[in-house]
Amino acid sequence: MTIELTGGEAIARMISLYNPGPIYGMGGFQLLPFYDAARRIGLKHYLINDERAGIFAADAYAKISGRVGLADATLGPGATNLVTGLVEALNAGTPMVVLVGDSHREHSWKNMTQESRQTEILRPAVKELLRIEMISRIPELVRRAFAVATSGRPGPVVIDVPEDISHGVFEFEDRDFYAVAAHEAIPALRCRPERAPLEKAAGMLADARTPIILAGGGVHLSAAADTLTAFSEALNIPVAHTLSGKGAIACTSGLNAGLFGRYDRIANKLIEESDLIFVVGCKLGEIATKRFTVPPRGKTIIHLDLLAEEFGRTTDCAIALWGDVGATIAELNDMLAPRAAEIRARQTGYAADVVKRMDAWRQDVSPRLNSDETPVSMARMLTELNKALPDDGILIADGGFAAHWGGLLFDTKKPGRAFVPDRGFASIGYGVPAAIGARATSPTRPIFAITGDGGFNMMLGELETARRLKLDFTIIVVNNAASGYIKALQHLMYGAEGYHASDLEETDYAKIGEAMGVTGIRVESPDRLEGAIRQAMTAKGPVIMDVVVTRDPAKMLPGVDNRTVKVKKGDRIA
């Protein structure tokens, strides 16, 4: 049976076959037939106020749900506004399919309004760019977009749709429209390393006396947090994590060694003392390695990753295990099962020492975690969030120091991704739109997002989006009247005379929230934190919790990592 459809409707029908979540975007003439079909067939499409917000919302939805994030934009400025979010998704391994309208091919390069060489601009920012040149190929190319987005290391795929393709008509066959269910979510396919290196790795893990696992965001891309937790507990091996890997095992577990790298609790010392390091789904980038100094040279490393290009990129490894995290850890667990009881018993003292060290760290930094200072200490704010958020709570962390403070101090209470930082590109402005996307993953989970005042200023317009969509979540604006990360680094390098272009005007963001029709709560002292958080959790609609935090640049970066920072003029800090 044949059916005559516009190209736009064919795209909408294909996307609907993948049981999609919301599409975030801002329309343009080129894709009007797609929007019309989306309305008629029931696809959820949410209008946003800035394309960057739409791509961030889709990114957060995909990070939390594991399903493909969807966004769209018109040609020219709409398309180029996507670049930052696309690079975030590319670097973070976020599965996304993004529609972009383009100029009518018959009129291209005749000074068409808003026309640009957008495919050339977008191509380096995505895993694959698919330009539709024939209406008849729409079903095939949409299937390919979902396949590429979810297979191997996930990533964003752009479908570039010329105006004449979207508005044109073609007589399709019914059989053209089908989806591959495996490509609705990640991981679409799982692969495992060869037997020989696996057996060697298992033997090394069995014989190690002070092994440690370093878990990255790849654990979540593989939906393997429960698998890794079972492996860690079976053998009494502690787990440290990156910012993106938080939740690889619960932060409240006795085997959790916390964040490692630039900021840490006890993990860097454990890594230094370890006789075997098992890197799992982690790229070992600059932040995780403290500018490539952690782990120290000469350490024995087993590296498990789905992307072969990561092996040896920053740190040499004794064994490279190329495969899916979940499938590989499960196989290692089976291999080590006959010796698991023996290994676990032998490691009991080591595991107990991790708990002892973590308790000592908490006691050491307790004055800062429970600080009564005014303006509010970031450490105290995170302490109150840890107390108030239930097991299923989600914390979004904007770029900059919001992510570093959250990564160091926020405690996930069960395995899984409940801490969502934008560490693929670490752009600021992620907090508000990411909370919008996060809400689409669950109607009931409490959602908080921490954003600096600078990042919040970028996305004020999306409060209208959240209010219009009647979304319940809380944005904590870390109000220090500064571009805090930069001002703190200027302080470290140049002292009080060195501040330049890093101060913002004092602003009451709670009043701004109220003016935009949402709940505004101003917190100026630490004794108000608990009540404000609980008020926010019971409020309907978006909440702006404006927390006035320290103005002292010496306290703006996470100081509870026990580092002693010594900087001479001319030293490079990052």
Side-chain angles (χ1 to χ4, degrees), residues 108-302:
S108 294
W109 316 124
K110 292 182 178 180
N111 294 324
M112 291 288 286
T113 302
Q114 298 187 313
E115 186 175 42
S116 70
R117 296 194 176 274
Q118 64 188 44
T119 56
E120 297 170 37
I121 294 169
L122 298 177
R123 187 168 281 112
V126 298
K127 188 175 179 184
E128 187 161 346
L129 187 144
L130 302 170
R131 180 173 163 89
I132 301 178
E133 300 284 3
M134 298 175 66
I135 301 178
S136 61
R137 294 191 66 191
I138 285 173
E140 166 209 342
L141 292 177
V142 173
R143 278 193 296 273
R144 175 164 178 78
F146 277 84
V148 172
T150 58
S151 300
R153 189 168 191 268
V157 177
V158 160
I159 302 177
D160 188 78
V161 188
E163 177 189 315
D164 52 306
I165 293 290
S166 178
H167 288 257
V169 174
F170 183 78
E171 203 168 79
F172 291 93
E173 298 283 342
D174 274 352
R175 63 175 178 269
D176 294 334
F177 292 90
Y178 66 90
V180 179
H183 297 141
E184 290 183 9
I186 57 171
L189 301 168
R190 294 187 187 269
C191 59
R192 291 179 291 185
E194 294 178 289
R195 186 79 180 176
L198 269 176
E199 289 176 342
K200 187 175 180 182
M204 292 170 68
L205 286 162
D207 294 337
R209 292 299 186 268
T210 52
I212 188 169
I213 295 169
L214 306 185
V219 175
H220 297 307
L221 298 182
S222 179
D226 287 331
T227 305
L228 184 65
T229 296
F231 180 76
S232 167
E233 291 174 347
L235 304 175
N236 259 339
I237 300 178
V239 179
H241 59 78
T242 63
L243 290 163
S244 298
K246 181 181 283 288
I249 70 170
C251 293
T252 50
S253 165
L255 289 168
N256 187 289
L259 189 68
F260 71 94
R262 177 176 293 178
Y263 303 109
D264 81 311
R265 302 182 182 187
I266 62 171
N268 287 357
K269 186 66 174 174
L270 286 171
I271 292 168
E272 184 182 323
E273 296 171 356
S274 175
D275 64 353
L276 180 65
I277 298 168
F278 187 15
V279 178
V280 177
C282 175
K283 294 183 289 186
L284 293 175
E286 176 203 351
I287 302 295
T289 62
K290 201 173 182 179
R291 191 59 74 89
F292 313 111
T293 60
V294 176
R297 288 183 181 274
K299 286 293 179 181
T300 303
I301 296 173
I302 300 169

Side-chain angles (χ1 to χ4, degrees), residues 309-387:
E309 293 92 318
E310 296 303 337
F311 300 133
R313 186 197 292 262
T314 66
T315 307
D316 291 335
C317 60
I319 300 178
L321 299 177
W322 184 17
D324 171 79
V325 168
T328 305
I329 293 293
E331 187 162 356
L332 281 171
N333 207 25
D334 290 342
M335 286 181 171
L336 290 165
R339 295 186 59 187
E342 163 209 335
I343 297 167
R344 179 177 171 78
R346 188 187 70 216
Q347 300 293 90
T348 300
Y350 176 46
D353 185 53
V354 172
V355 174
K356 202 176 298 182
R357 293 190 193 202
M358 189 65 81
D359 288 344
W361 174 83
R362 289 187 187 281
Q363 185 174 350
D364 184 33
V365 301
S366 179
R368 279 170 273 185
L369 294 177
N370 301 290
S371 170
D372 287 328
E373 66 185 85
T374 300
V376 175
S377 158
M378 284 286 290
R380 173 67 182 273
M381 188 186 80
L382 266 300
T383 297
E384 296 300 332
L385 263 181
N386 280 332
K387 291 178 185 175

Side-chain angles (χ1 to χ4, degrees), residues 472-490:
D472 298 335
F473 59 72
T474 299
I475 302 296
I476 297 178
V477 181
V478 177
N479 187 342
N480 57 13
S483 179
Y485 207 100
I486 299 305
K487 188 168 185 177
L489 295 177
Q490 288 174 340

